[in-house]
Amino acid sequence: MRKFSLAALTSALALAAGMAAAEEIKVGVSPGEHGEIMEEVAKVAKDKGLTIDIVEFTDYVVPNQALADGDLQANSFQHQPYLDNQIKDRGFALVSIAKTITTPMGVYSQKLKSLDELPEGAGVAIPNDPTNGGRALLLLQDKGIVTLAEDTGLTPSPLDVTGNPKNLKFLELDAAQLPRALADTDIAVINTNYALDAGLNPNEDAIAMEKPDSPYANIIVVRQGDEDAPWARQLVEAYHDPAVKQFIEEKYQGAVIPAW
C-alpha cells in the first residue's frame, strides 16, 4: 500500500509540474525582423513547454502601454534608451531582462546615391520620438552632416543642431511612416525593422549606416516583478538558442546582428 501511495504521489507531482511548465504568454513585437525572429523563438520555446502568442503592433508607443496594462507578458521591439525614456515620461514599471538584436539605423534616399550629394536646404525625415530621433541626428553627426550641442546625450533634437552647413530642413514623422516619406524628402533616416517591412535592403539600399557598436541593442522587456518568473527564463533561453542565432545570421546577412 505504501509503495502504491508513493508511486501515485510521484505521478501526481510529475503531472502537476508538467501542467505548470506548459505556460502560454503573449509577447508584443513590431513588424519586420522582430516579429520574424519571435516566430523562430516560439518554435524553440514550444519544445521547452512555453507557448508564445505573438502580438504585432504597428507603432512604438502601444507595446509598452499594453505590457504595463497586463495585456502582454513581455515585449521585444525596443532598445534600452527608448525604454528608459518611456519609463521617465510615462512612469512604467518595466524592466529589461535580456538583449536580443542590434539593427543599425540607415539613411535612405530615392534621389541621392551618397550623402555627398545632399543639396542646400535638403529635406531630412527623422523619427519623431526622442530616442530614435536623437539616434538619427547622432548618425548624421557621425557622418559629418551636422554638429550637435555638447552634453545632449542620446536624445538630441533638431533644436540641438548647432552646425548645419547645408541648411538641412528636418521633418519629424512617426517612425513607421518614414519609408513613405522617401518620395517627398531628399533623405530619410529609418529604423531597420521599418526599412525591411517596406522592402528596403539595408545592405544594398542604405546610403549610410550606423556603426554596429552603437548603444542601441534591442531588449526583451517585462513588468517589474516578473524578471525571475519561469516563463521569463524560458523566453530568454529560447531567444538565445543557437538555432535562433543561426536564423538571424542567415536571413539578414548582417542587416540584423545578434546582441548576445
Side-chain angles (χ1 to χ4, degrees):
M1 177 67 70
R2 187 179 176 204
K3 289 182 66 176
F4 175 79
S5 297
L6 286 173
L9 177 60
T10 300
S11 177
L13 289 173
L15 178 60
M19 291 177 64
E23 292 192 68
E24 180 174 352
I25 62 171
K26 291 184 178 180
V27 179
V29 300
S30 54
E33 75 277 11
H34 287 292
E36 293 167 352
I37 295 170
M38 191 56 64
E39 290 178 1
E40 297 302 311
V41 174
K43 295 175 185 177
V44 175
K46 191 77 171 179
D47 293 336
K48 299 178 182 293
L50 180 66
T51 298
I52 298 177
D53 181 10
I54 302 171
V55 184
E56 188 171 284
F57 295 86
T58 57
D59 64 33
Y60 285 160
V61 178
V62 180
N64 280 330
Q65 186 66 60
L67 178 57
D69 290 344
D71 298 326
L72 305 171
Q73 279 68 53
N75 66 41
S76 176
F77 77 99
Q78 64 193 316
H79 48 62
Q80 189 68 51
Y82 184 82
L83 175 64
D84 292 342
N85 190 70
Q86 287 267 292
I87 291 172
K88 178 182 177 181
D89 288 350
R90 297 171 179 263
F92 291 140
L94 304 178
V95 61
S96 165
I97 60 171
K99 292 183 178 180
T100 58
I101 55 174
T102 299
T103 55
M105 182 175 267
V107 181
Y108 298 83
S109 178
Q110 291 182 352
K111 303 173 183 177
L112 312 176
K113 294 182 179 180
S114 166
L115 287 176
D116 294 335
E117 299 176 6
L118 270 173
E120 176 75 17
V124 179
I126 64 173
N128 65 359
D129 65 89
T131 50
N132 285 299
R135 183 180 181 183
L137 291 171
L138 288 167
L139 170 55
L140 294 176
Q141 176 175 250
D142 182 64
K143 301 304 179 183
I145 305 303
V146 298
T147 303
L148 302 172
E150 295 182 3
D151 301 323
T152 57
L154 296 176
T155 56
S157 77
L159 296 176
D160 297 308
V161 175
T162 57
N164 187 4
K166 293 196 174 183
N167 195 30
L168 304 178
K169 309 299 182 185
F170 294 100
L171 176 64
E172 298 177 272
L173 298 173
D174 182 82
Q177 303 303 316
L178 287 168
R180 300 179 186 177
L182 285 171
D184 302 315
T185 58
D186 292 284
I187 60 173
V189 190
I190 306 175
N191 295 80
T192 292
N193 61 308
Y194 291 123
L196 292 171
D197 195 48
L200 297 169
N201 184 321
N203 289 324
E204 297 177 2
D205 298 324
I207 61 174
M209 289 290 289
E210 188 177 53
K211 293 178 180 178
D213 60 350
S214 78
Y216 297 98
N218 286 275
I219 50 179
I220 296 173
V221 178
V222 300
R223 287 184 296 278
Q224 287 182 6
D226 284 342
E227 301 97 313
D228 297 320
W231 57 261
R233 292 196 298 270
Q234 288 176 306
L235 174 59
V236 173
E237 289 173 2
Y239 206 112
H240 290 179
D241 191 270
V244 175
K245 185 175 184 179
Q246 182 179 357
F247 169 81
I248 294 169
E249 292 173 342
E250 291 180 354
K251 180 173 180 62
Y252 300 108
Q253 298 293 308
V256 177
I257 304 168
W260 71 91

